[in-house]
Amino acid sequence: MKIRGSLLIGLRRGQLKLGGECLSAKAVVTQRGAVLLGDSVACDAFDETRPLRVVTHAHADHLLGLRQSLRSCEKVLMTAATRDLIGVVNGSLPLDDGSVELLDYGETVEYGDERVTLVKADHILGAAQVLVEDSDGGRVAYTGDFRVDGTEPLLGCDVLVVEATYGSPWFKRAFKVDVRELLVSMVEKRLRHGAVYVFGYHGKLQEVMQILHRADVSVPFVMPERVFRVSKVCEAHGMRLGCLALSTESEGKELLDGNLPCVAFYHMNSRRSVGLVGSSRICVSGWEFRSPCRQIGEREHLVALSDHSDFDGLIEYVRRCKPRRVVTDNYRVSHGVTLAREIRKRLGISAVAMPR
Ligand SMILES: [Zn+2]
């Protein structure tokens, strides 16, 4: 059964009776990376005890055991955009076999006495946070991956599971310049000399296309088939990306072979095999904190564009949410322990890293 409407209002905190021990059982990150919420939900990895699987977004480290979930779970919940993106990046998964149920942001599924809602997260197209409420007014939630500025805080949770990618105080991007503007001016300048190669991950590449398109960078965007198909999914879900061309077809080939003005978008994995002779190269990465832009090769630069919150953003999000307890995801990165310690120290909120 689905219900529409906001779940971020009408909190019943007065009804919460859970003590510390009960709270810790309400949200757990398992040794296999599943974020278990309430009694029925496993997020982002398969867990044999849970009838509902939620996929927060289409990045590989959030699709763990998805084939098994599609076989075993009663329902596999995700947004339509996430389903479409998974169909491109992992085309062999049986996403049309009936267990997949698509939810819009703010839409709710009931299971037993629990209600599961996906709430928008600013990360890649289709990304969602997960909120699980029970009939006693208990609320547990998982952020998935997110950037703090565009992500609605999940208020009044008993337990909040938060991602910890940049969970150490070393990971701060306190840049004075606008990284997007810098990226646009770098690309424009280098286009005067021919093709510019941009390397990044799925989702981020399309964000760069969107940034350039909005800034009226009107040269063709050339890309291999998988990047092209991901981009087409993004367009189908409302993103405007510009003029796209396949690198394997004549127009794209001519542009790249002739080093003519165009922007070529390739997955980070192709960095060592394409665009190596004579072209300008830009890698977009969140793992850069010293400066918004750094030269890493003769004609290659790293630009600090991230689709995750930095450390200050993670702390700020928890501060806004004011949960009773925090669990940091210590499975996908190893900074969960540090983040939990900093949340306890800076915010005075009970926090633990899982798995240990
Ligand atoms: Zn992600």
Side-chain angles (χ1 to χ4, degrees):
M1 179 184 175
K2 292 182 184 177
I3 299 170
R4 283 187 180 275
S6 172
L7 295 179
L8 304 181
I9 54 172
L11 309 184
R12 292 178 285 170
R13 289 187 59 88
Q15 296 180 19
L16 300 174
K17 306 181 193 83
L18 300 172
E21 284 308 304
C22 294
L23 279 185
S24 59
K26 284 288 176 185
V28 168
V29 185
T30 71
Q31 296 290 342
R32 290 195 290 172
V35 178
L36 307 184
L37 300 178
D39 295 327
S40 50
V41 173
C43 306
D44 290 353
F46 174 69
D47 186 276
E48 60 277 4
T49 67
R50 300 302 171 109
L52 304 185
R53 162 77 186 263
V54 177
V55 181
T56 60
H57 65 286
H59 281 151
D61 57 338
H62 297 261
L63 305 180
L64 305 174
L66 183 53
R67 190 176 297 278
Q68 211 169 352
S69 296
L70 289 164
R71 244 191 333 252
S72 321
C73 292
E74 287 182 40
K75 290 181 181 180
V76 179
L77 307 173
M78 63 187 86
T79 63
T82 293
R83 190 268 318 267
D84 293 347
L85 288 174
I86 294 171
V88 173
V89 296
N90 197 336
S92 70
L93 285 168
L95 296 170
D96 299 321
D97 75 346
S99 62
V100 173
E101 188 163 327
L102 303 179
L103 291 184
D104 290 334
Y105 296 129
E107 198 175 6
T108 291
V109 160
E110 290 194 350
Y111 188 91
D113 79 336
E114 292 185 331
R115 295 153 53 90
V116 185
T117 307
L118 301 187
V119 179
K120 185 173 169 46
D122 179 18
H123 179 56
I124 62 167
L125 179 78
Q129 308 176 86
V130 187
L131 174 65
V132 176
E133 301 169 295
D134 65 28
S135 54
D136 294 327
R139 292 163 64 90
V140 289
Y142 168 44
T143 62
D145 291 346
F146 71 100
R147 277 185 294 219
V148 64
D149 288 341
T151 300
E152 188 174 6
L154 297 171
L155 305 176
C157 288
D158 303 302
V159 191
L160 175 71
V161 182
V162 65
E163 66 126 323
T165 306
Y166 299 119
S168 160
W170 292 102
F171 301 145
K172 294 183 184 185
R173 294 183 211 95
F175 307 136
K176 300 260 187 299
V177 302
D178 184 319
V179 175
R180 290 173 175 78
E181 284 177 16
L182 177 81
L183 178 65
V184 170
S185 77
M186 282 181 71
V187 170
E188 284 177 330
K189 210 179 289 174
R190 282 158 181 75
L191 278 172
R192 290 178 210 145
H193 308 290
V196 178
Y197 283 74
V198 174
F199 299 92
Y201 292 99
H202 293 309
K204 180 93 69 79
L205 286 175
Q206 287 71 28
E207 184 183 358
V208 175
M209 293 176 205
Q210 190 176 48
I211 290 167
L212 296 177
H213 180 60
R214 281 180 179 163
D216 293 327
V217 175
S218 55
V219 297
F221 295 165
V222 183
M223 61 206 74
E225 188 177 348
R226 185 168 289 190
V227 177
F228 184 84
R229 290 177 60 206
V230 169
S231 305
K232 285 294 171 189
V233 169
C234 291
E235 286 188 329
H237 287 275
M239 291 176 72
R240 298 235 175 273
L241 304 183
C243 169
L244 311 185
L246 273 164
S247 57
T248 48
E249 291 192 345
S250 55
E251 184 198 354
K253 260 193 185 138
E254 277 167 30
L255 288 163
L256 296 183
D257 291 348
N259 194 24
L260 300 171
C262 66
V263 184
F265 290 89
Y266 279 83
H267 193 274
M268 196 64 101
N269 293 346
S270 306
R271 195 181 144 219
R272 305 211 176 275
S273 56
V274 297
L276 295 170
V277 183
S279 301
S280 301
R281 296 157 55 88
I282 295 171
C283 298
V284 284
S285 170
W287 290 99
E288 173 59 34
F289 303 96
R290 282 178 291 173
S291 66
C293 172
R294 182 161 61 91
Q295 187 159 6
I296 56 173
E298 195 188 342
R299 302 167 72 90
E300 185 168 29
H301 287 75
L302 191 68
V303 171
L305 182 71
S306 180
D307 46 20
H308 289 265
S309 293
D310 69 356
F311 174 77
D312 286 342
L314 292 170
I315 293 288
E316 177 58 24
Y317 181 88
V318 176
R319 190 198 309 277
R320 285 182 199 167
C321 290
K322 297 185 180 66
R324 292 173 64 191
R325 177 183 169 88
V326 173
V327 173
T328 60
D329 180 357
N330 199 40
Y331 178 84
R332 287 170 179 79
V333 288
S334 55
H335 304 293
V337 173
T338 308
L339 181 61
R341 185 181 65 225
E342 295 297 323
I343 288 169
R344 291 194 300 271
K345 196 168 82 182
R346 293 167 190 243
L347 304 177
I349 295 172
S350 163
V352 293
M354 289 188 186
R356 288 171 192 279

